[in-house]
């Protein structure tokens, strides 16, 4: 993937410097366009015969010109998520997010960075730190998608910390939230989260066949490498429990090859050693 190659073999500082350079250039372009708009509008009003219709037309033109630039800025920010989702490098991702906190001061963007950082902490195995960060963000008003993200982070952290009672409490919170959705797109995202939670609880309880059915149905829709690696390790856990060591080995070798610095890679190594002892 072309977008991820721009981050390969670079330090966190180099990635953020490259991002900041592009951000400043786009922001400068927006300021220049806005100044030109103001100058042209004032000239048209004071020295011309522009009416309200002319001013509104210029405002529409301003929006049409600047909207793609704002989308470009948002895409650059979101593309940083590829460090986690495709490069499977949560350690680098967390470092980049920490540096970005010094770049973005807008409240909404700062909240997005903190939630992203919490995700990185989860996938690097720092569950207590991720949980503390996620819990601290609950007091802020965030978008529906970020509410779902915080629920997902909290649920996974409590589960990994073996606090099933609180994990179930988070699941109930998610069910209440999802039941309040009216838009089809948010309902779909909410149901997907509940499916993830059901699968996680099934695996935690040792209900392997229900987990396998849920996970195999969901894995067909996976596109990100992170999803595929985590799914492979989870399915390998089920394979080992069911005595299907060959399948487990295939899943675990894939995770070792593609898993980068994800914490599940250490789980994969441990499980491969257990398989070797049984063979």
């Amino acid at each position: 993937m072309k977008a991820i190659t721009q981050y390969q073999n670079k330090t966190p500082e180099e990635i953020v410097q490259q991002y900041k350079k592009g951000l400043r250039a786009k922001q400068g372009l927006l300021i220049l366009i806005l100044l030109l708009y103001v100058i042209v509008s004032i000239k048209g009003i004071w020295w011309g015969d522009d009416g309200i219709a002319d001013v509104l037309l210029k405002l529409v033109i301003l929006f049409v010109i600047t909207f793609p630039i704002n989308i470009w800025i948002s895409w650059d920010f979101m593309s940083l998520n590829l460090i986690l989702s495709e490069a499977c490098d949560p350690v680098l991702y967390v470092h980049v997010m920490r540096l970005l906190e010094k770049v973005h001061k807008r409240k909404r963007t700062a909240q997005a960075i903190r939630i992203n950082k919490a995700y990185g902490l989860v996938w690097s195995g720092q569950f207590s730190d991720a949980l503390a960060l996620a819990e601290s963000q609950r007091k802020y008003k965030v978008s529906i998608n970020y509410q779902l993200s915080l629920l997902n982070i909290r649920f996974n952290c409590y589960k990994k910390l073996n606090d099933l009672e609180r994990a179930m409490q988070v699941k109930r919170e998610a069910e209440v939230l999802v039941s309040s959705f009216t838009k089809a797109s948010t309902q779909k995202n909410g149901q997907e989260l509940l499916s993830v939670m059901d699968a996680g609880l099934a695996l935690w309880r040792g209900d392997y066949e229900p987990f396998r059915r849920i996970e195999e149905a969901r894995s067909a829709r996976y596109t990100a490498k992170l999803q595929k690696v985590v799914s492979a390790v989870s399915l390998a856990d089920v394979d080992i429990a069911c005595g299907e060591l060959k399948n487990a080995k295939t899943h675990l070798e894939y995770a070792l090859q593609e898993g980068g610095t994800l914490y599940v890679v250490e789980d994969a190594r441990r499980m491969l050693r257990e398989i070797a002892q049984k063979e």
Side-chain angles (χ1 to χ4, degrees):
M1 185 180 293
K2 184 178 179 180
I4 191 60
T5 58
Q6 63 182 312
Y7 306 127
Q8 290 178 345
N9 303 317
K10 290 186 177 179
T11 65
E13 291 77 11
E14 289 171 337
I15 292 172
V16 173
Q17 186 62 34
Q18 175 184 315
Y19 170 82
K20 188 162 62 172
K21 184 178 179 181
L23 175 65
R24 296 294 180 252
K26 297 176 187 70
Q27 288 175 333
L29 182 58
L30 285 173
I31 292 171
L32 178 60
I33 293 171
L34 182 60
L35 287 174
L36 288 173
Y37 166 77
V38 171
I39 292 170
V40 171
S41 296
I42 292 175
K43 184 178 179 181
I45 293 171
W46 287 99
W47 289 282
D49 57 355
D50 284 1
I52 188 65
D54 298 301
V55 174
L56 290 175
L57 177 60
K58 290 174 183 176
L59 188 60
V60 170
I61 293 172
L62 175 68
F63 175 80
V64 170
I65 293 173
T66 57
F67 182 73
I69 300 174
N70 284 310
I71 294 296
W72 192 6
I73 291 172
S74 297
W75 168 252
D76 284 349
F77 178 74
M78 290 187 294
S79 69
L80 292 169
N81 293 334
L82 294 173
I83 298 171
L84 180 61
S85 64
E86 293 300 327
C88 295
D89 194 345
V91 174
L92 175 61
Y93 185 72
V94 169
H95 200 155
V96 168
M97 290 298 123
R98 283 174 176 154
L99 293 173
L100 276 185
E101 288 181 298
K102 302 174 184 178
V103 175
H104 286 285
K105 302 302 181 184
R106 285 182 57 197
K107 183 177 179 181
R108 179 183 292 184
T109 308
Q111 288 174 344
I113 290 170
R114 287 192 289 269
I115 294 171
N116 288 348
K117 183 168 68 172
Y119 261 122
L121 290 169
V122 169
W123 293 115
S124 59
Q126 301 177 65
F127 304 115
S128 295
D129 291 341
L131 180 59
L133 183 54
E135 291 286 4
S136 72
Q137 298 307 299
R138 294 178 63 195
K139 59 186 177 183
Y140 299 111
K141 185 176 180 179
V142 295
S143 69
I144 293 296
N145 284 336
Y146 280 129
Q147 289 181 53
L148 294 174
S149 295
L150 287 172
L151 287 165
N152 191 22
I153 292 168
R154 292 169 57 220
F155 174 81
N156 281 317
C157 288
Y158 281 126
K159 183 165 61 69
K160 284 295 182 180
L161 294 171
N162 293 317
D163 191 339
L164 184 58
E165 182 179 349
R166 290 191 178 181
M168 291 299 298
Q169 179 182 333
V170 174
K171 185 174 185 294
R172 288 191 291 272
E173 291 176 26
E175 290 169 343
V176 171
L177 178 64
V178 173
S179 68
S180 69
F181 293 161
T182 55
K183 290 178 62 177
S185 58
T186 52
Q187 285 180 345
K188 181 180 179 181
N189 291 338
Q191 290 300 329
E192 181 67 20
L193 174 61
L194 294 178
S195 176
V196 170
M197 291 179 171
D198 286 337
L201 288 172
L203 183 61
W204 193 86
R205 290 191 298 259
D207 297 336
Y208 297 121
E209 287 308 316
F211 171 80
R212 194 199 294 269
R213 286 196 301 271
I214 296 172
E215 187 59 28
E216 287 181 346
R218 292 176 58 244
S219 62
R221 302 191 298 272
Y222 290 159
T223 56
K225 188 181 292 184
L226 168 65
Q227 295 173 308
K228 296 175 182 178
V229 169
V230 174
S231 178
V233 176
S234 298
L235 289 172
D237 197 5
V238 174
D239 290 334
I240 292 173
C242 297
E244 301 172 10
L245 301 185
K246 185 176 180 181
N247 286 341
K249 196 170 181 179
T250 300
H251 284 134
L252 295 172
E253 287 173 347
Y254 170 77
L256 284 180
Q257 181 179 349
E258 303 291 344
T261 62
L262 296 172
Y263 80 88
V264 295
V265 170
E266 288 304 315
D267 291 343
R269 289 195 180 97
R270 172 183 54 78
M271 293 159 73
L272 278 172
R273 288 196 295 268
E274 292 175 358
I275 290 174
Q277 293 172 359
K278 293 178 181 179
E279 290 179 336

